[in-house]
Amino acid sequence: MSINLDTDSFYDSFNPIDPNFPLIIAGPCSAETRHQVISTASQIASLNKVTYYRAGLWKPRTRPDGFEGLGEKALPWLAEAKALTGLKMAVEVAMPSHVELSLKAGIDLLWIGARTTANPFSVQEIAEALQGVDIPVLVKNPLHPDLKLWIGALERINKAGVRKLGAVHRGFYTYDNGPFRNLPMWELPIELKRLNPDLPVITDPSHISGKRSLVAEVAQKALDLAMDGLMIESHFHPNHAKTDANQQLTPASLSKILNKLNLRQEFGTEDFESILTEIRREIDHIDSELLQILSRRMEKIEGIGRIKMENNITILQIERLRQMMISRLKTGKELGLDSAFILKLLQLVHKESIQVQTKLLTKKPNNGDL
Ligand code: PEP
Ligand code: MN
Protein backbone atom coordinates (compact mmCIF):
# COMPACT_ATOMS: atom_id res chain seq x y z
CA MET A 1 0.00 0.00 0.00
CA SER A 2 1.43 3.39 -0.84
CA ILE A 3 0.61 6.43 1.19
CA ASN A 4 0.47 9.84 -0.27
CA LEU A 5 1.07 12.51 2.35
CA ASP A 6 2.79 15.80 1.73
CA THR A 7 3.65 17.14 5.17
CA ASP A 8 5.91 19.73 6.73
CA SER A 9 8.13 18.67 9.53
CA PHE A 10 5.44 19.99 11.83
CA TYR A 11 7.00 18.26 14.78
CA ASP A 12 9.46 21.16 15.06
CA SER A 13 6.56 23.54 15.34
CA PHE A 14 5.50 21.79 18.53
CA ASN A 15 8.41 23.50 20.22
CA PRO A 16 8.27 21.37 23.34
CA ILE A 17 9.42 23.00 26.55
CA ASP A 18 12.29 20.54 26.90
CA PRO A 19 13.60 19.57 23.44
CA ASN A 20 14.72 16.19 24.74
CA PHE A 21 11.35 15.33 26.15
CA PRO A 22 8.63 13.83 23.92
CA LEU A 23 5.64 15.98 23.06
CA ILE A 24 3.01 15.78 25.78
CA ILE A 25 -0.63 16.72 25.31
CA ALA A 26 -2.55 16.50 28.59
CA GLY A 27 -5.79 17.69 30.08
CA PRO A 28 -9.27 16.56 30.98
CA CYS A 29 -11.37 14.30 28.81
CA SER A 30 -14.08 16.99 28.90
CA ALA A 31 -14.27 20.63 29.89
CA GLU A 32 -16.84 20.68 32.69
CA THR A 33 -16.64 24.00 34.55
CA ARG A 34 -14.53 27.14 34.32
CA HIS A 35 -12.92 26.27 37.65
CA GLN A 36 -12.09 22.72 36.53
CA VAL A 37 -10.60 23.93 33.22
CA ILE A 38 -8.47 26.62 34.82
CA SER A 39 -7.35 24.77 37.96
CA THR A 40 -6.42 21.65 36.03
CA ALA A 41 -4.51 23.75 33.47
CA SER A 42 -2.56 25.59 36.20
CA GLN A 43 -1.57 22.32 37.87
CA ILE A 44 -0.56 20.78 34.55
CA ALA A 45 1.43 23.86 33.51
CA SER A 46 3.40 23.70 36.76
CA LEU A 47 4.80 20.28 35.72
CA ASN A 48 6.79 22.05 32.97
CA LYS A 49 6.53 19.06 30.70
CA VAL A 50 3.28 19.60 28.85
CA THR A 51 3.00 21.64 25.66
CA TYR A 52 -0.68 21.29 24.76
CA TYR A 53 -3.67 21.34 27.07
CA ARG A 54 -6.48 19.15 25.78
CA ALA A 55 -10.15 19.42 26.71
CA GLY A 56 -13.13 17.89 24.93
CA LEU A 57 -15.95 20.33 24.21
CA TRP A 58 -18.04 18.23 21.85
CA LYS A 59 -18.19 14.69 23.17
CA PRO A 60 -19.31 11.88 20.88
CA ARG A 61 -21.30 9.66 23.24
CA THR A 62 -22.44 6.12 22.58
CA ARG A 63 -25.89 6.74 24.12
CA PRO A 64 -27.86 9.98 23.80
CA ASP A 65 -28.28 10.46 27.56
CA GLY A 66 -24.53 10.86 28.33
CA PHE A 67 -22.80 14.19 29.00
CA GLU A 68 -22.28 15.59 25.50
CA GLY A 69 -19.85 18.35 26.41
CA LEU A 70 -20.40 22.07 26.88
CA GLY A 71 -19.59 23.05 23.33
CA GLU A 72 -18.60 26.61 22.47
CA LYS A 73 -19.53 27.85 25.93
CA ALA A 74 -16.20 26.46 27.19
CA LEU A 75 -14.04 28.09 24.50
CA PRO A 76 -13.48 31.32 26.49
CA TRP A 77 -12.31 29.22 29.48
CA LEU A 78 -9.63 27.68 27.28
CA ALA A 79 -8.57 31.16 26.13
CA GLU A 80 -8.35 32.17 29.78
CA ALA A 81 -6.35 29.05 30.68
CA LYS A 82 -3.96 29.78 27.82
CA ALA A 83 -3.43 33.39 28.88
CA LEU A 84 -2.86 32.29 32.46
CA THR A 85 -0.55 29.32 31.89
CA GLY A 86 1.03 29.72 28.45
CA LEU A 87 -0.14 26.22 27.55
CA LYS A 88 -1.33 25.81 23.97
CA MET A 89 -4.90 24.64 23.58
CA ALA A 90 -6.14 21.50 21.80
CA VAL A 91 -9.72 20.35 21.15
CA GLU A 92 -11.52 17.59 19.27
CA VAL A 93 -13.54 18.62 16.24
CA ALA A 94 -16.21 16.45 14.69
CA MET A 95 -18.08 18.90 12.45
CA PRO A 96 -17.20 21.93 10.29
CA SER A 97 -18.89 24.24 12.82
CA HIS A 98 -16.52 22.96 15.54
CA VAL A 99 -13.57 23.83 13.31
CA GLU A 100 -14.85 27.34 12.64
CA LEU A 101 -15.62 28.08 16.29
CA SER A 102 -12.28 26.69 17.48
CA LEU A 103 -10.25 28.64 14.94
CA LYS A 104 -12.10 31.83 15.81
CA ALA A 105 -11.34 31.23 19.50
CA GLY A 106 -7.59 30.87 18.80
CA ILE A 107 -7.28 27.14 19.51
CA ASP A 108 -3.74 25.96 18.66
CA LEU A 109 -4.26 22.33 17.67
CA LEU A 110 -7.27 20.32 16.51
CA TRP A 111 -7.78 16.59 16.54
CA ILE A 112 -10.27 14.32 14.89
CA GLY A 113 -11.70 11.66 17.19
CA ALA A 114 -11.81 7.92 16.60
CA ARG A 115 -15.53 7.83 15.84
CA THR A 116 -15.22 10.59 13.26
CA THR A 117 -12.18 9.08 11.51
CA ALA A 118 -14.31 6.05 10.73
CA ASN A 119 -16.69 8.15 8.61
CA PRO A 120 -15.17 9.47 5.35
CA PHE A 121 -18.13 11.83 4.77
CA SER A 122 -17.52 13.57 8.10
CA VAL A 123 -13.77 13.67 7.55
CA GLN A 124 -14.29 15.20 4.11
CA GLU A 125 -16.55 17.92 5.53
CA ILE A 126 -14.01 18.70 8.23
CA ALA A 127 -11.22 18.72 5.64
CA GLU A 128 -13.11 21.34 3.66
CA ALA A 129 -13.52 23.49 6.76
CA LEU A 130 -9.78 23.14 7.38
CA GLN A 131 -8.79 24.34 3.90
CA GLY A 132 -5.40 26.06 4.17
CA VAL A 133 -5.32 26.02 7.99
CA ASP A 134 -1.79 26.36 9.37
CA ILE A 135 -2.18 24.84 12.85
CA PRO A 136 -1.40 21.16 13.57
CA VAL A 137 -4.23 18.70 13.02
CA LEU A 138 -4.06 15.20 14.50
CA VAL A 139 -6.12 12.24 13.33
CA LYS A 140 -6.95 9.52 15.83
CA ASN A 141 -7.15 5.97 14.57
CA PRO A 142 -10.66 4.69 13.81
CA LEU A 143 -12.29 2.53 16.49
CA HIS A 144 -11.68 -0.67 14.56
CA PRO A 145 -8.27 -1.81 13.29
CA ASP A 146 -8.48 -0.51 9.72
CA LEU A 147 -5.20 1.09 8.74
CA LYS A 148 -6.52 2.17 5.34
CA LEU A 149 -9.34 4.15 6.89
CA TRP A 150 -6.85 5.90 9.20
CA ILE A 151 -4.57 6.72 6.28
CA GLY A 152 -7.54 7.80 4.17
CA ALA A 153 -8.57 10.35 6.80
CA LEU A 154 -4.99 11.67 7.02
CA GLU A 155 -4.92 11.98 3.22
CA ARG A 156 -8.24 13.85 3.11
CA ILE A 157 -7.02 16.39 5.68
CA ASN A 158 -3.67 16.69 3.92
CA LYS A 159 -5.34 17.24 0.53
CA ALA A 160 -7.14 20.23 2.02
CA GLY A 161 -3.72 21.84 2.40
CA VAL A 162 -3.10 20.96 6.06
CA ARG A 163 0.62 20.19 6.20
CA LYS A 164 1.14 20.11 9.96
CA LEU A 165 -0.32 16.69 10.28
CA GLY A 166 0.02 13.97 12.90
CA ALA A 167 -1.65 10.73 13.93
CA VAL A 168 -2.87 9.65 17.35
CA HIS A 169 -2.80 5.99 18.25
CA ARG A 170 -5.59 5.39 20.79
CA GLY A 171 -6.02 1.63 20.43
CA PHE A 172 -8.69 -0.45 18.71
CA TYR A 173 -11.95 -1.95 19.77
CA THR A 174 -11.93 -5.71 19.15
CA TYR A 175 -14.03 -8.57 20.51
CA ASP A 176 -11.30 -9.40 23.01
CA ASN A 177 -9.45 -6.39 24.39
CA GLY A 178 -7.78 -8.27 27.26
CA PRO A 179 -6.93 -5.88 30.10
CA PHE A 180 -7.25 -2.85 27.81
CA ARG A 181 -10.23 -0.68 26.99
CA ASN A 182 -8.87 -0.60 23.46
CA LEU A 183 -6.29 -3.09 22.25
CA PRO A 184 -3.01 -1.31 21.40
CA MET A 185 -2.21 -3.48 18.33
CA TRP A 186 1.16 -1.76 18.06
CA GLU A 187 1.70 -3.28 14.64
CA LEU A 188 -0.73 -0.73 13.16
CA PRO A 189 0.97 2.50 14.29
CA ILE A 190 4.31 0.86 13.45
CA GLU A 191 3.07 0.10 9.93
CA LEU A 192 1.78 3.67 9.63
CA LYS A 193 5.24 4.94 10.55
CA ARG A 194 6.91 2.51 8.17
CA LEU A 195 4.75 3.81 5.34
CA ASN A 196 5.35 7.42 6.26
CA PRO A 197 8.42 7.93 8.43
CA ASP A 198 7.89 11.72 8.57
CA LEU A 199 4.44 11.52 10.10
CA PRO A 200 4.53 12.04 13.88
CA VAL A 201 2.55 9.35 15.72
CA ILE A 202 1.41 10.21 19.22
CA THR A 203 0.09 7.52 21.54
CA ASP A 204 -2.95 8.06 23.77
CA PRO A 205 -2.33 5.64 26.67
CA SER A 206 -5.49 6.83 28.45
CA HIS A 207 -7.97 5.53 25.88
CA ILE A 208 -5.89 2.38 25.33
CA SER A 209 -5.82 1.64 29.08
CA GLY A 210 -9.29 2.65 30.20
CA LYS A 211 -7.96 2.59 33.76
CA ARG A 212 -5.40 4.67 35.62
CA SER A 213 -3.28 1.71 36.70
CA LEU A 214 -2.27 0.82 33.13
CA VAL A 215 -1.41 4.28 31.81
CA ALA A 216 2.27 4.33 32.87
CA GLU A 217 3.03 0.96 31.31
CA VAL A 218 1.40 1.85 27.98
CA ALA A 219 3.10 5.25 27.91
CA GLN A 220 6.51 3.62 28.42
CA LYS A 221 5.84 1.03 25.75
CA ALA A 222 4.90 3.81 23.29
CA LEU A 223 8.25 5.49 23.86
CA ASP A 224 10.12 2.17 23.69
CA LEU A 225 8.55 1.77 20.24
CA ALA A 226 9.77 5.22 19.18
CA MET A 227 6.37 6.88 19.11
CA ASP A 228 6.65 10.67 18.95
CA GLY A 229 4.60 11.81 21.91
CA LEU A 230 1.79 11.11 24.34
CA MET A 231 -1.75 12.37 24.85
CA ILE A 232 -2.80 11.69 28.45
CA GLU A 233 -6.07 12.58 30.17
CA SER A 234 -5.69 14.48 33.42
CA HIS A 235 -8.37 16.02 35.64
CA PHE A 236 -8.06 17.81 38.98
CA HIS A 237 -10.64 15.45 40.55
CA PRO A 238 -10.67 12.35 38.31
CA ASN A 239 -13.21 10.45 40.38
CA HIS A 240 -15.76 13.19 39.79
CA ALA A 241 -15.09 13.51 36.07
CA LYS A 242 -18.21 13.49 33.91
CA THR A 243 -16.51 11.34 31.26
CA ASP A 244 -13.78 8.69 31.40
CA ALA A 245 -13.44 8.94 35.20
CA ASN A 246 -11.60 5.61 35.48
CA GLN A 247 -8.73 6.54 33.22
CA GLN A 248 -8.02 10.16 34.15
CA LEU A 249 -5.06 11.00 36.37
CA THR A 250 -4.55 13.85 38.79
CA PRO A 251 -1.86 16.26 37.58
CA ALA A 252 0.28 14.92 40.47
CA SER A 253 0.01 11.33 39.22
CA LEU A 254 0.65 12.54 35.69
CA SER A 255 3.80 14.21 36.97
CA LYS A 256 4.99 10.95 38.56
CA ILE A 257 4.43 9.04 35.34
CA LEU A 258 6.20 11.65 33.21
CA ASN A 259 9.17 11.82 35.57
CA LYS A 260 9.56 8.06 35.58
CA LEU A 261 9.54 7.67 31.82
CA ASN A 262 12.68 6.02 30.55
CA LEU A 263 13.69 7.98 27.46
CA ARG A 264 15.64 6.00 24.93
CA GLN A 265 17.56 7.25 21.91
CA GLU A 266 16.61 5.99 18.51
CA PHE A 267 20.27 5.93 17.46
CA GLY A 268 23.39 5.12 19.47
CA THR A 269 27.17 5.62 19.30
CA GLU A 270 29.19 4.50 16.29
CA ASP A 271 30.34 1.35 18.11
CA PHE A 272 26.81 0.50 19.08
CA GLU A 273 25.57 1.08 15.52
CA SER A 274 28.25 -1.24 14.10
CA ILE A 275 27.34 -4.04 16.54
CA LEU A 276 23.71 -3.48 15.55
CA THR A 277 24.58 -3.66 11.85
CA GLU A 278 26.38 -6.96 12.39
CA ILE A 279 23.48 -8.54 14.30
CA ARG A 280 21.06 -7.22 11.67
CA ARG A 281 23.13 -8.87 8.93
CA GLU A 282 22.70 -12.18 10.75
CA ILE A 283 18.97 -11.56 11.15
CA ASP A 284 18.69 -10.77 7.42
CA HIS A 285 20.41 -14.06 6.66
CA ILE A 286 18.10 -16.01 8.99
CA ASP A 287 15.04 -14.34 7.41
CA SER A 288 16.26 -15.32 3.98
CA GLU A 289 16.63 -18.93 5.17
CA LEU A 290 13.17 -18.80 6.71
CA LEU A 291 11.67 -17.70 3.40
CA GLN A 292 13.54 -20.38 1.47
CA ILE A 293 12.26 -23.00 3.91
CA LEU A 294 8.72 -21.69 3.51
CA SER A 295 9.06 -21.84 -0.25
CA ARG A 296 10.24 -25.47 -0.02
CA ARG A 297 7.31 -26.26 2.24
CA MET A 298 4.86 -24.80 -0.24
CA GLU A 299 6.42 -26.84 -3.07
CA LYS A 300 5.83 -30.00 -1.02
CA ILE A 301 2.28 -28.85 -0.32
CA GLU A 302 1.68 -28.52 -4.04
CA GLY A 303 3.01 -32.06 -4.49
CA ILE A 304 0.77 -33.49 -1.80
CA GLY A 305 -2.18 -31.52 -3.24
CA ARG A 306 -1.68 -33.12 -6.66
CA ILE A 307 -1.62 -36.65 -5.19
CA LYS A 308 -4.77 -35.96 -3.17
CA MET A 309 -6.49 -34.65 -6.27
CA GLU A 310 -5.49 -37.64 -8.41
CA ASN A 311 -6.85 -39.94 -5.74
CA ASN A 312 -9.97 -37.84 -5.11
CA ILE A 313 -9.08 -37.24 -1.46
CA THR A 314 -10.27 -34.20 0.53
CA ILE A 315 -7.76 -31.39 1.00
CA LEU A 316 -8.33 -31.32 4.75
CA GLN A 317 -7.71 -34.33 7.00
CA ILE A 318 -8.62 -33.10 10.41
CA GLU A 319 -6.77 -35.81 12.36
CA ARG A 320 -3.53 -35.02 10.53
CA LEU A 321 -4.03 -31.32 11.30
CA ARG A 322 -4.64 -32.08 14.98
CA GLN A 323 -1.54 -34.25 15.29
CA MET A 324 0.57 -31.74 13.38
CA MET A 325 -0.45 -28.88 15.65
CA ILE A 326 0.23 -30.91 18.80
CA SER A 327 3.69 -31.98 17.64
CA ARG A 328 4.71 -28.53 16.33
CA LEU A 329 3.49 -26.81 19.50
CA LYS A 330 5.52 -29.27 21.56
CA THR A 331 8.64 -28.65 19.48
CA GLY A 332 8.07 -24.90 19.66
CA LYS A 333 7.80 -25.09 23.42
CA GLU A 334 10.99 -27.13 23.68
CA LEU A 335 12.71 -24.45 21.62
CA GLY A 336 11.50 -21.78 24.04
CA LEU A 337 9.05 -20.20 21.59
CA ASP A 338 5.84 -18.60 22.79
CA SER A 339 2.92 -21.02 22.28
CA ALA A 340 0.40 -18.33 21.30
CA PHE A 341 2.83 -17.07 18.65
CA ILE A 342 3.52 -20.57 17.30
CA LEU A 343 -0.20 -21.33 17.17
CA LYS A 344 -0.86 -18.16 15.16
CA LEU A 345 2.05 -18.92 12.86
CA LEU A 346 0.94 -22.51 12.28
CA GLN A 347 -2.60 -21.40 11.57
CA LEU A 348 -1.32 -18.91 9.02
CA VAL A 349 0.95 -21.46 7.33
CA HIS A 350 -1.85 -24.01 7.30
CA LYS A 351 -4.29 -21.52 5.81
CA GLU A 352 -1.83 -20.79 3.00
CA SER A 353 -1.27 -24.53 2.47
CA ILE A 354 -5.02 -25.05 2.06
CA GLN A 355 -5.12 -22.15 -0.36
CA VAL A 356 -2.27 -23.59 -2.46
CA GLN A 357 -4.14 -26.90 -2.71
CA THR A 358 -7.47 -25.24 -3.45
CA LYS A 359 -5.87 -23.30 -6.30
CA LEU A 360 -4.79 -26.61 -7.88
CA LEU A 361 -8.43 -27.65 -8.06
CA THR A 362 -9.42 -24.52 -9.93
CA LYS A 363 -6.44 -24.57 -12.34
CA LYS A 364 -7.03 -25.90 -15.85
CA PRO A 365 -5.45 -29.36 -16.44
CA ASN A 366 -2.01 -28.93 -17.90
CA ASN A 367 -1.51 -31.20 -20.99
CA GLY A 368 -3.78 -33.67 -19.32
CA ASP A 369 -1.10 -34.66 -16.80
CA LEU A 370 -2.80 -33.20 -13.73
C1 PEP B 1 -11.14 11.73 23.79
O1 PEP B 1 -10.00 12.00 23.43
O2 PEP B 1 -11.65 12.10 24.85
C2 PEP B 1 -11.93 10.82 22.93
C3 PEP B 1 -13.23 10.88 22.82
O3 PEP B 1 -11.11 9.94 22.35
P1 PEP B 1 -11.38 8.87 21.17
O4 PEP B 1 -11.85 9.65 19.99
O5 PEP B 1 -10.02 8.30 21.00
O6 PEP B 1 -12.37 7.87 21.69
MN1 MN C 1 -11.84 10.60 26.97
Side-chain angles (χ1 to χ4, degrees), residues 192-358:
L192 182 64
K193 264 179 160 300
R194 189 184 69 80
L195 291 168
N196 200 321
D198 293 335
L199 183 78
V201 182
I202 288 149
T203 296
D204 172 347
S206 304
H207 289 88
I208 291 175
S209 304
K211 46 180 164 306
R212 280 184 268 290
S213 57
L214 268 183
V215 173
E217 178 186 321
V218 176
Q220 183 61 55
K221 174 111 184 203
L223 299 189
D224 292 347
L225 293 175
M227 297 297 149
D228 302 287
L230 301 168
M231 180 191 269
I232 302 182
E233 286 188 343
S234 176
H235 186 291
F236 74 158
H237 295 309
N239 286 332
H240 298 119
K242 290 192 172 167
T243 54
D244 290 350
N246 295 337
Q247 71 195 30
Q248 300 206 60
L249 302 159
T250 58
S253 311
L254 173 67
S255 171
K256 272 190 206 138
I257 289 178
L258 295 181
N259 285 324
K260 273 200 198 142
L261 285 174
N262 182 7
L263 306 182
R264 298 174 203 269
Q265 314 289 333
E266 206 175 339
F267 304 99
T269 60
E270 227 168 273
D271 275 0
F272 166 83
E273 290 295 332
S274 75
I275 295 171
L276 207 64
T277 306
E278 184 48 40
I279 301 175
R280 283 189 174 144
R281 231 196 309 274
E282 290 171 35
I283 293 175
D284 290 349
H285 183 69
I286 293 171
D287 280 352
S288 156
E289 280 182 339
L290 256 177
L291 292 173
Q292 285 170 35
I293 289 170
L294 264 179
S295 157
R296 280 194 354 244
R297 188 184 203 278
M298 289 310 158
E299 271 169 32
K300 288 282 169 214
I301 293 294
E302 227 181 294
I304 207 171
R306 279 180 211 285
I307 297 177
K308 284 184 195 166
M309 200 163 63
E310 281 160 15
N311 291 279
N312 213 20
I313 303 292
T314 54
I315 290 175
L316 182 69
Q317 276 102 36
I318 201 72
E319 191 48 30
R320 158 72 185 162
L321 176 63
R322 253 174 45 78
Q323 292 308 328
M324 193 188 86
M325 289 292 198
I326 292 169
S327 97
R328 308 295 190 268
L329 283 169
K330 183 167 171 279
T331 309
K333 209 169 172 182
E334 284 162 6
L335 291 169
L337 293 162
D338 180 74
S339 297
F341 163 64
I342 294 300
L343 183 62
K344 258 195 261 171
L345 182 68
L346 289 171
Q347 283 168 337
L348 198 64
V349 169
H350 184 253
K351 189 174 162 197
E352 179 63 14
S353 303
I354 295 278
Q355 229 148 17
V356 166
Q357 295 180 66
T358 312

Side-chain angles (χ1 to χ4, degrees), residues 29 54 59 92 111 113-115 140 170 207 233:
C29 178
R54 60 148 288 159
K59 301 303 296 177
E92 173 180 346
W111 85 82
R115 288 154 192 82
K140 283 196 166 195
R170 48 81 75 206
H207 289 88
E233 286 188 343

